[in-house]
Amino acid sequence: MSFDVANFNVWAQKPFKEQAQAFLNAFWDDVQDQAEFIYTISYKTLRAADMHKKGIEYLYEYREGIDVDFVTGLYFYEKLWERVHKPEMDGTVWAEKSEFSRSMPVKMTAVERKNSLSDQDLNSDNRISFLEYLLHQYAADPEEFIRSSLEQLKSLDPNLDKAQKALVEVNSKLTEIEKQKAQLKKDAKGDGPKAKKAQFQLKSMKNSQMVSDLNARLLKAEAAIRAAQRAAKGSTAHPQGTAWWVERELQEVKELYGAAGARNKSVNGPKKHGKKADAWIKNKEPKWKVK
């Protein structure tokens, strides 16, 4: 192999989202227009495939993986193809969005796909990381990625690090809420006193202390990402992919769960995604259920 596998594995053995951020940081100028597809479609489909393999139904039960075996890789591509051709609620189809043509999976036979997975396996471990998928999909140079990633390690942004830690706190509280909500849904079945109590708690959950704590953490995280962006103005070392990802993830949580007093618009002003803030209370199925 013509590149340093050890340095490559520094990133290939990190959780999926960190692999994606490292890839975006390395090739931001070339792939920033594909970032939304990578986040919304590729990342979430691979995560769902990994959960399927592990028999996990809810995200609050899931510890993010670093790679998948070839069988799960085949399943991932099958679901990826289905996902981009399935109409959204507004009738739009990702496969018909010309701006994401570079991101679209190519239809292959099972044998062709297995051969493709072998080609993607840069570190020859018979597994596929998200990073290997991304490098293959966007025809990016692995050696260039390693050079860029080594520079990333030398220029860590303390302001962005604070924003990432604030987002971890948000997700921690979110996991706590989802876990309790799932238990209340189970307890709410039936007509007995216990069920009625759980039904009441579920309906009033959006006004609970846990949700208030989530709102506070959302506001803290949003302030942290704004501070990181202000500090990064004029800096060429700012990891733009990580900054985009943290803000995008934060925006999604805000839109699904809401934050009293939080701004409705993203710091950089991208269009909104997801459902209204109270949808997680009104919908019958928990938001973090993999379908």
Side-chain angles (χ1 to χ4, degrees), residues 77-92:
Y77 271 104
E78 176 187 342
K79 293 302 177 182
L80 187 63
W81 178 268
E82 292 177 4
R83 178 68 182 84
V84 299
H85 289 87
K86 180 180 179 180
E88 299 288 308
M89 292 184 67
D90 62 1
T92 60

Side-chain angles (χ1 to χ4, degrees), residues 235-285:
S235 172
T236 58
H238 184 61
Q240 293 173 293
T242 296
W244 183 92
W245 192 281
V246 170
E247 185 186 353
R248 180 66 181 85
E249 191 172 347
L250 175 62
Q251 183 67 15
E252 181 173 63
V253 175
K254 283 171 53 182
E255 289 170 354
L256 291 177
Y257 297 86
R263 298 189 306 170
N264 288 327
K265 293 184 178 179
S266 165
V267 176
N268 287 330
K271 64 181 181 179
K272 294 182 70 176
H273 301 270
K275 299 182 179 180
K276 293 182 179 179
D278 287 345
W280 67 287
I281 293 293
K282 297 176 182 177
N283 284 359
K284 293 182 179 179
E285 294 297 329

Side-chain angles (χ1 to χ4, degrees), residues 3-12 122-123 131-132 135 146:
F3 67 95
D4 188 339
V5 177
N7 277 321
F8 178 78
N9 284 341
V10 167
W11 296 101
L122 295 174
N123 56 7
L131 177 57
E132 288 169 322
L135 289 167
I146 290 174

Side-chain angles (χ1 to χ4, degrees), residues 19-277:
Q19 295 178 39
Q21 291 169 39
F23 174 81
L24 289 170
N25 289 337
F27 301 105
W28 182 250
D29 289 343
D30 183 50
V31 300
Q32 61 179 294
D33 60 343
Q34 304 301 302
E36 183 59 40
F37 186 97
I38 291 170
Y39 177 86
T40 301
I41 304 298
S42 303
Y43 165 64
K44 292 183 179 180
T45 304
L46 181 60
R47 186 179 65 185
D50 189 38
M51 292 174 70
H52 173 79
K53 169 69 174 181
K54 296 172 179 176
I56 298 172
E57 187 177 17
Y58 295 98
L59 270 174
Y60 70 80
E61 300 172 324
Y62 175 63
R63 181 177 180 179
E64 190 158 285
I66 61 173
D67 56 26
V68 297
D69 58 31
F70 281 8
V71 173
T72 307
L74 291 172
Y75 178 83
F76 159 67
Y77 271 104
E78 176 187 342
K79 293 302 177 182
L80 187 63
W81 178 268
E82 292 177 4
R83 178 68 182 84
V84 299
H85 289 87
K86 180 180 179 180
E88 299 288 308
M89 292 184 67
D90 62 1
T92 60
V93 178
W94 281 86
E96 297 174 356
K97 298 181 179 183
S98 59
E99 65 269 33
F100 296 121
S101 59
R102 295 175 59 198
S103 297
M104 293 302 152
V106 176
K107 189 71 171 177
M108 295 183 182
T109 65
V111 173
E112 289 172 335
R113 183 65 70 194
K114 288 178 181 177
N115 291 335
S116 176
L117 288 172
S118 295
D119 291 339
Q120 293 178 46
D121 185 15
L122 295 174
N123 56 7
S124 302
D125 63 354
N126 295 316
R127 299 182 68 83
I128 296 299
S129 64
F130 196 28
L131 177 57
E132 288 169 322
Y133 156 79
L134 291 169
L135 289 167
H136 176 81
Q137 181 65 38
Y138 298 101
D141 183 357
E143 293 183 9
E144 176 59 30
F145 170 79
I146 290 174
R147 287 192 293 270
S148 176
S149 63
L150 290 174
E151 289 301 315
Q152 289 180 45
L153 292 174
K154 296 177 183 177
S155 57
L156 296 177
D157 186 334
N159 294 288
L160 190 54
D161 184 59
K162 289 180 181 178
Q164 288 179 293
K165 289 178 179 177
L167 183 58
V168 168
E169 291 183 5
V170 167
N171 286 330
S172 175
K173 180 57 65 174
L174 195 55
T175 296
E176 183 182 343
I177 290 172
E178 285 294 330
K179 187 175 182 179
Q180 180 170 333
K181 183 154 65 79
Q183 184 60 52
L184 287 174
K185 282 180 174 288
K186 292 179 182 178
D187 294 343
K189 295 178 181 179
D191 298 317
K194 181 179 179 181
K196 290 182 178 179
K197 180 181 179 181
Q199 291 164 13
F200 173 78
Q201 289 177 313
L202 192 59
K203 289 180 180 178
S204 60
M205 197 172 180
K206 63 180 177 180
N207 298 317
S208 68
Q209 184 59 48
M210 281 198 302
V211 174
S212 295
D213 291 344
L214 174 63
N215 288 341
R217 294 186 187 194
L218 281 166
L219 292 170
K220 179 181 177 181
E222 186 181 38
I225 189 65
R226 288 203 304 270
Q229 289 172 336
R230 286 195 300 269
K233 285 185 177 180
S235 172
T236 58
H238 184 61
Q240 293 173 293
T242 296
W244 183 92
W245 192 281
V246 170
E247 185 186 353
R248 180 66 181 85
E249 191 172 347
L250 175 62
Q251 183 67 15
E252 181 173 63
V253 175
K254 283 171 53 182
E255 289 170 354
L256 291 177
Y257 297 86
R263 298 189 306 170
N264 288 327
K265 293 184 178 179
S266 165
V267 176
N268 287 330
K271 64 181 181 179
K272 294 182 70 176
H273 301 270
K275 299 182 179 180
K276 293 182 179 179

